[in-house]
């Protein structure tokens, strides 16, 4: 009898996670990773990611229209385009980090600041993922995430994320 009760509790716990879309689990992991990194070394990396993602999106859209790379078969497949976006993001991230966004932020962060930074990076990540068609081709977010971060709400989400980063920087 006791074995049956334990298995029923375990079954209820696993059924809870089956109903959660994978997007929210990924968002949660991003929040945790960025928050732990912010606790360890401050929010400089979170700031750089939040600035680099939109800049990478703009530069990627400009690259597609450029004479050197945009014409021809260089960017013909989705994976090549995603790779190009990743390279642009990495380059912009490195340049942003070198610009010294964390010149005051040399120490360890506080827990509330770390959670704010993690949430803000996740919001920027979700908005950019939905905005960039190449990333949406690679992985389509759930309808729930698409409705929450819909185009009509993206401005408010991004404004709130950058305000949270400014507050966390504080």
């Amino acid at each position: 009898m006791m074995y049956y009760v334990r298995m029923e509790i375990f079954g209820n716990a696993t059924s809870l996670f089956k109903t959660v879309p994978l997007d929210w689990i990924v968002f949660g992991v991003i929040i945790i990773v960025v928050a732990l990194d912010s606790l360890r070394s401050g929010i400089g990396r979170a700031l750089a990611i939040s600035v680099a993602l939109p800049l990478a999106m703009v530069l990627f859209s400009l690259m597609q229209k450029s004479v050197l790379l945009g014409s021809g078969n260089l960017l013909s497949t989705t994976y090549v385009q995603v790779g190009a976006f990743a390279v642009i993001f990495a380059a912009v991230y490195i340049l942003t980090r070198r610009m010294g966004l964390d010149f005051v932020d040399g120490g360890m962060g506080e827990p509330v600041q770390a959670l704010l930074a993690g949430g803000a990076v996740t919001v920027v990540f979700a908005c950019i993922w939905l905005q960039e068609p190449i990333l949406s081709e690679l992985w389509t977010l759930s309808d729930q995430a698409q409705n929450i971060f819909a185009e009509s709400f993206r401005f408010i989400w991004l404004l709130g994320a950058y305000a949270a980063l400014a507050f966390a920087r504080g």
Side-chain angles (χ1 to χ4, degrees):
M1 177 86 173
M2 187 63 134
Y3 175 75
Y4 179 72
V5 171
R6 287 183 186 159
M7 288 307 292
E8 187 175 311
I9 291 172
F10 181 71
N12 289 338
T14 58
S15 66
L16 172 70
F17 288 110
K18 286 182 185 176
T19 60
V20 175
L22 184 61
D23 305 340
W24 296 106
I25 295 172
V26 170
F27 293 160
V29 167
I30 293 171
I31 290 172
I32 290 169
V33 167
V34 172
L36 288 175
D37 181 62
S38 297
L39 276 174
R40 186 179 64 82
S41 61
I43 65 167
R45 289 188 186 107
L47 289 170
I49 291 170
S50 296
V51 170
L53 274 170
L55 285 175
M57 185 184 74
V58 169
L59 290 174
F60 180 73
S61 67
L62 292 174
M63 183 196 69
Q64 289 177 325
K65 298 172 185 160
S66 72
V67 175
L68 295 175
L69 299 173
S71 60
N73 276 343
L74 290 176
L75 299 174
S76 60
T77 66
T78 302
Y79 294 114
V80 172
Q81 291 177 351
V82 169
F85 183 86
V87 167
I88 291 171
F89 168 71
V92 172
Y93 172 78
I94 291 169
L95 292 174
T96 306
R97 285 289 289 166
R98 296 291 299 158
M99 286 180 197
L101 285 177
D102 57 347
F103 59 90
V104 177
D105 190 35
M108 295 175 62
E110 298 292 327
V112 174
Q113 292 173 329
L115 285 174
L116 282 173
V121 168
T122 304
V123 165
V124 172
F125 174 80
C127 289
I128 297 301
W129 195 276
L130 286 170
Q131 185 79 19
E132 184 58 50
I134 295 305
L135 299 176
S136 294
E137 278 185 38
L138 184 67
W139 177 272
T140 304
L141 295 178
S142 67
D143 292 336
Q144 187 181 32
Q146 288 182 12
N147 289 336
I148 290 173
F149 297 106
E151 191 170 345
S152 57
F153 301 121
R154 280 190 200 134
F155 174 74
I156 297 168
W157 277 111
L158 288 173
L159 188 65
Y162 289 119
L165 281 171
F167 177 77
R169 173 73 189 243

